Amino acid sequence: MNAHQPAPYAALSMYIDGQFIGNDSRQGEPVFNPADDTILGQLPHATKEDMDRALDAAARAFDQWRWTSPLERSRILRRVAELIRERADIIARDLTRDQGKPFVEARHEVYSAADHAEWHAEEGRRIYGRVVPPRTPSVRQTVVRQPVGVCVAFAPWNFPFNQTLRKISAALAAGCTLIIKPAEDAPSAAVALARLFHEAGLPPGCLNVVWGVPAEISNYLIRSPIVRKISFTGSIPVGKQLASLAGAHMKRVTMELGGHSPVLVFDDADIPRAAALLARLKALNAGQVCMAPSRFYVHEAVRDEFTDAFTKAFSSQALGDGLDAGTTMGPLAHKRRVGVMEQLVADACSRGASVVTGGKSLSRPGNFFPPTVLIDAVDDSRVMQEEPFGPIAPITSFREVDEVVTRANALPYGLASYVFTRSLKTSHYASTRLEAGMVNVNHFGIALPETPLGGIKDSGVGSEGGSETFDAYVTTKFISEETA
Ligand code: NAD
């Protein structure tokens, strides 16, 4: 498949009780291409009746799916992984069209989702219980883990294929059924996933995909007594709202929320290597990655060397439509985020920072904002306090290891973090004290299917991936039986 071959954009629909619906006159919203502002398609919104149908279907399906053998669930997930790989280019092309990321990145996202499906297919076969030695021989005590029930998930727009697939895989592999509301901004990915699961033989009702006004959907579904668990990936304010509502109705939550990942570059680090890696990570998905490096604390002795090398690599990105050959950084997914980037730069500069490169939006259609490096950003500037979620890298300097760890830990975020040093002692000191759910030392090694991904503090609750992935999808039941 040639990435540049014109082909129609995905037919958008909902997926409820095994049927693709919504290609009628119901209300909806247009979907835009962030690279040129053109309209790609019309997304149907769910009515209350649609949501009731999805709830009813998920509840009915749960009664069957929970007793389906883990081997059979595994077989379906494996088939989905195969289909993902077969259709990767078609899925990736639509992902680039509605989300904006370069085609190469979209393809990578799709292939990595196949890995997640396969891993969950295997790990779902290992949801074990245990036997507790009894106090009397006539009693048998077992602890079993059972699927929690119908789940509702809200997936984000930055990795709409991978993140949606991860939520679906974890729920289904654990024996739960699911209603998912993916992000309306980049909907082709979830529609493609629904088609793949349908084709792989997933029974009707196990997976349901609905779209609509996010607050209306979440309000309705989270309150429903049918729903037992909520999973959300997105911003902290929305996560807190949904977690409060879930708490009021005593439902489990997994919250994967925003981060503002500190990067600690020590004076003994391999500076060219650190700068090249960080520039590449920062440019990924135009910086719209929850674990992107986003606050750069560089030892004063290597500040200039690092800033020069980083700026050179980061500013060399080729901005453009992700389907154009050679594009290495696409547009931001939303127009509103371009304005936010400009405000963050203006605020930092008003407090003494200087723009080393970038800083201004481009006068062309689409939501383009260039790679931007700010030097001497003070700790209380907005860009050092608020997750930029875009291609801005604020750099500041430090002197002492305990000083920089304290500064890094000063914010309420606690998702990812980065440390660059050749000293084992410094690495150990920083990695054990950084308040973050994940620490990368001298490389990027997180977000694999087999490793837990999750935040602490305001960055969330629970983990996706790793053997922890099923914790929120299963309940623990203790059974004590008198056997004689
Ligand atoms: P936003 O808070 O407006 O929306 C974030 C996501 O939440 C969107 O997908 C939206 O559809 C959904 N949402 C909003 N209100 C909701 C509600 N009441 N119920 C259910 N879903 C709801 O933020 P934004 O401007 O779209 O994105 C920027 C921010 O989002 C960033 O600062 C970042 O923190 C966060 N974000 C984080 C991740 C992540 O991977 N953790 C992914 C995407 C976005």
Side-chain angles (χ1 to χ4, degrees), residues 154-158 163 181 183-185 214-215 218 232-236 238 241-242 256-259 290 334 336-337 387 389 415:
F154 302 90
W157 47 263
N158 58 344
Q163 300 260 14
K181 191 211 75 63
E184 284 71 19
D185 318 82
S218 55
F232 173 75
T233 299
S235 64
I236 291 172
V238 174
Q241 274 176 35
L242 301 194
E256 208 266 273
L257 307 178
C290 58
H334 301 115
R336 64 178 180 273
R337 300 296 306 164
E387 174 183 30
F389 223 63
L415 194 60

Side-chain angles (χ1 to χ4, degrees), residues 266-317:
F266 290 90
D267 52 351
D268 61 351
D270 180 338
I271 299 298
R273 197 168 163 266
L277 172 66
L278 288 165
R280 189 156 55 77
L281 292 174
K282 186 75 210 173
L284 273 182
N285 207 2
Q288 302 166 112
V289 183
C290 58
M291 53 205 146
S294 57
R295 297 180 273 152
F296 291 71
Y297 301 91
V298 182
H299 192 276
E300 60 180 10
V302 290
R303 165 194 179 268
D304 292 349
E305 182 191 353
F306 175 84
T307 304
D308 289 350
F310 177 83
T311 304
K312 198 165 162 224
F314 190 34
S315 62
S316 70
Q317 302 303 319

Side-chain angles (χ1 to χ4, degrees), residues 429-447:
Y429 182 92
S431 61
T432 51
R433 284 167 180 77
L434 279 168
E435 292 170 1
M438 296 166 285
V439 188
N440 293 285
V441 181
N442 291 330
H443 85 141
F444 180 77
I446 56 182

